[in-house]
Amino acid sequence: MDSDSVFASVVRAPEDPILGVTVAYNKDPSRVKLNLGVGAYRTEEGKPLVLNVVRKAEQLLVNDKSRVKEYLPIVGLADFNKLSAKLIFGADSPAIKENRVTTVQCLSGTGSLRVGAEFLARHYHQLTIYIPQPTWGNHPKVFTLAGLSVKTYRYYDPATRGLNFQGLLEDLGSAPSGAIVLLHACAHNPTGVDPTLEQWEQIRQLMRSKGLLPFFDSAYQGFASGSLDADAQSVRMFVADGGECLVAQSYAKNMGLYGERVGALSIVCKTEDVASRVESQLKLVIRPMYSSPPIHGASLVATILKDSNMYHEWTLELKAMADRIISMRQQLFDALSARGTPGDWSHIIKQIGMFTFTGLNSEQVAFMTKEYHVYMTSDGRISMAGLSTKTIPHLVDAIHAAVTRTG
């Protein structure tokens, strides 16, 4: 009898809306089923990819008999931290040269956000964070549990399937002075809609004039456009003005290290002294949370970033992944146009990164899952990396039927 259990009153929690898509997909016996919910890169054959350069780095580590499995320091692997800061802020970043950046290794992007949020909840005078509407489903939970109060700012415009720039400026303009603002560095998840560089400059000026604190989530550097520098421009713009900001970095997508949980949190401070005091407090956040981070994934990243040949090889593999996604966008757009599917689908090629907000509603999504075995989140977000030249015709059939039958 489960009534004997001390946990008998525990209710069943709902599936995570994103991970739940994969659960439903796995149960479907259909041979034509298609999973477009997964937030991970897939090859043209629909298989997960381990980069060649990662395999090489792994081989080097395995063959190095001097390597041990000792604990890392609380802040993680020193080389990894230094190289991660250089990757996001640029090799010639004045903030790095002036030792105003503190970087700590965390458990991928999510862990970096959580550590940053806990630090702010303890040491920052404003406990409100503004996040874009919509944003990644985990953001509100991470910040709320860390002790921050979450508010939203307008971001996506369903009518244009683009950026609601006016709404964004109005909402940030009326945010209380000093509030924290979460910004996606590039390839906004789930919409794939990014501000232009001119718009970023306006956002920067507005935020600095109101003393708003930028907290960047950088999950796709190099993975969005194929260029590591282009995808870091928004962050570098905010560092160039001498102001302070936080940046969470993840290597899940751009090095394909999803399950290794490799990430970093950098806090850019006004002075070297402030940075060193901030780091001392970050240690006090991390120690009771998970004590210290794992060694393997960070060692892979450091090995690749510090060897110029391996770094070059990585940039080529990264560009190939980005290019495949860009090509899937073009092919899907072309196929919908050729089919004469009602509506304007140009947003598919205007948006960037792994995800596209199709503009399909939850009723159309449910129809596509039931009739065509196409799985995606109910908000109409699809992972472009889950598509291939072979599966695009099936998706176009499903979209065409959903749009023409359900309006």
Side-chain angles (χ1 to χ4, degrees):
M1 289 285 290
D2 71 354
S3 58
D4 298 339
S5 169
V6 292
F7 304 116
S9 62
V10 172
V11 298
R12 184 175 306 283
E15 286 277 8
D16 178 285
I18 298 172
L19 305 180
V21 171
T22 301
V23 173
Y25 168 83
N26 288 339
K27 286 183 184 157
D28 187 337
S30 167
R31 293 210 356 255
V32 296
K33 65 181 179 176
L34 183 56
N35 185 5
L36 300 178
V38 66
Y41 182 80
R42 293 290 179 262
T43 62
E44 179 68 20
E45 294 70 47
K47 298 278 187 283
L49 177 71
V50 178
L51 303 190
N52 288 325
V53 73
V54 166
R55 294 228 188 262
K56 261 185 212 173
E58 207 140 33
Q59 218 43 63
L60 284 175
L61 295 181
V62 168
N63 294 336
D64 180 354
K65 293 287 183 272
S66 69
R67 282 185 57 78
V68 292
K69 302 289 188 187
E70 291 291 289
Y71 291 121
L72 283 178
I74 298 171
V75 295
L77 190 68
D79 266 1
F80 167 82
N81 291 339
K82 208 162 84 208
L83 292 158
S84 293
K86 195 172 130 183
L87 188 71
I88 189 79
F89 300 124
D92 51 359
S93 167
I96 294 177
K97 289 197 173 110
E98 293 155 21
N99 293 319
R100 295 190 286 111
V101 182
T102 173
T103 304
V104 295
Q105 181 194 334
C106 301
L107 307 185
S108 205
T110 307
S112 306
L113 290 164
R114 182 65 190 258
V115 168
E118 299 247 352
F119 167 79
L120 291 171
R122 286 186 207 179
H123 301 284
Y124 187 59
H125 66 279
Q126 245 298 358
L127 295 186
T128 306
I129 183 163
Y130 282 76
I131 63 176
Q133 177 66 34
T135 192
W136 181 48
N138 222 5
H139 279 145
K141 300 169 198 164
V142 166
F143 296 122
T144 303
L145 283 173
L148 298 174
S149 151
V150 174
K151 297 209 160 120
T152 60
Y153 61 90
R154 280 170 283 172
Y155 189 87
Y156 178 73
D157 181 355
T160 62
R161 295 175 189 175
L163 185 66
N164 181 353
F165 191 50
Q166 232 18 69
L168 178 152
L169 293 178
E170 281 168 27
D171 290 349
L172 294 187
S174 54
S177 167
I180 309 154
V181 179
L182 180 85
L183 302 163
H184 294 229
C186 67
H188 182 273
N189 176 5
T191 67
V193 172
D194 285 355
T196 63
L197 283 179
E198 293 73 30
Q199 288 171 330
W200 272 120
E201 179 52 26
Q202 277 180 263
I203 295 167
R204 186 193 67 77
Q205 288 175 14
L206 171 67
M207 285 181 61
R208 291 309 193 196
S209 71
K210 291 191 54 95
L212 302 173
L213 181 64
F215 193 157
F216 281 97
D217 186 355
S218 175
Y220 300 100
Q221 188 187 354
F223 193 89
S225 68
S227 159
L228 287 156
D229 291 324
D231 290 347
Q233 276 180 294
S234 59
V235 174
R236 291 175 189 178
M237 212 180 262
F238 277 80
V239 176
D241 66 14
E244 296 177 299
C245 64
L246 292 84
V247 183
Q249 268 171 288
S250 161
Y251 288 95
K253 315 291 189 296
N254 61 14
M255 278 200 195
L257 294 174
Y258 305 94
E260 297 288 1
R261 314 307 294 138
V262 197
L265 170 73
S266 288
I267 304 186
V268 179
C269 304
K270 276 284 189 201
T271 67
E272 180 175 354
D273 179 52
V274 173
S276 114
R277 283 183 281 136
V278 164
E279 180 162 313
S280 72
Q281 290 295 341
L282 286 171
K283 289 181 190 173
L284 298 191
V285 172
I286 292 167
R287 179 75 174 138
M289 202 189 277
Y290 53 85
S291 205
S292 70
I295 196 167
H296 185 70
S299 302
L300 290 173
V301 173
T303 303
I304 292 164
L305 294 185
K306 71 180 164 206
D307 178 298
S308 59
N309 291 332
M310 290 179 98
Y311 179 88
H312 179 65
E313 189 177 340
W314 173 49
T315 61
L316 297 179
E317 290 196 77
L318 182 50
K319 184 155 172 28
M321 288 193 289
D323 285 350
R324 188 181 101 71
I325 289 176
I326 291 164
S327 141
M328 286 304 107
R329 288 184 180 281
Q330 192 63 53
Q331 287 182 43
L332 178 57
F333 171 74
D334 291 347
L336 286 163
S337 305
R339 185 72 187 270
T341 302
D344 175 6
W345 298 96
S346 61
H347 57 284
I348 292 174
I349 42 180
K350 287 183 192 144
Q351 294 170 9
I352 189 171
M354 192 183 279
F355 300 110
T356 283
F357 239 33
T358 55
L360 296 164
N361 61 38
S362 56
E363 187 193 343
Q364 291 167 330
V365 169
F367 169 84
M368 287 166 61
T369 302
K370 184 168 174 282
E371 300 295 330
Y372 287 85
H373 308 275
V374 173
Y375 290 81
M376 61 176 100
T377 49
S378 61
D379 58 9
R381 180 195 87 159
I382 62 173
S383 170
M384 297 310 297
L387 275 177
S388 70
T389 305
K390 286 201 296 286
T391 57
I392 281 176
H394 181 64
L395 176 61
V396 169
D397 286 346
I399 292 176
H400 190 86
V403 170
T404 48
R405 290 184 205 187
T406 58

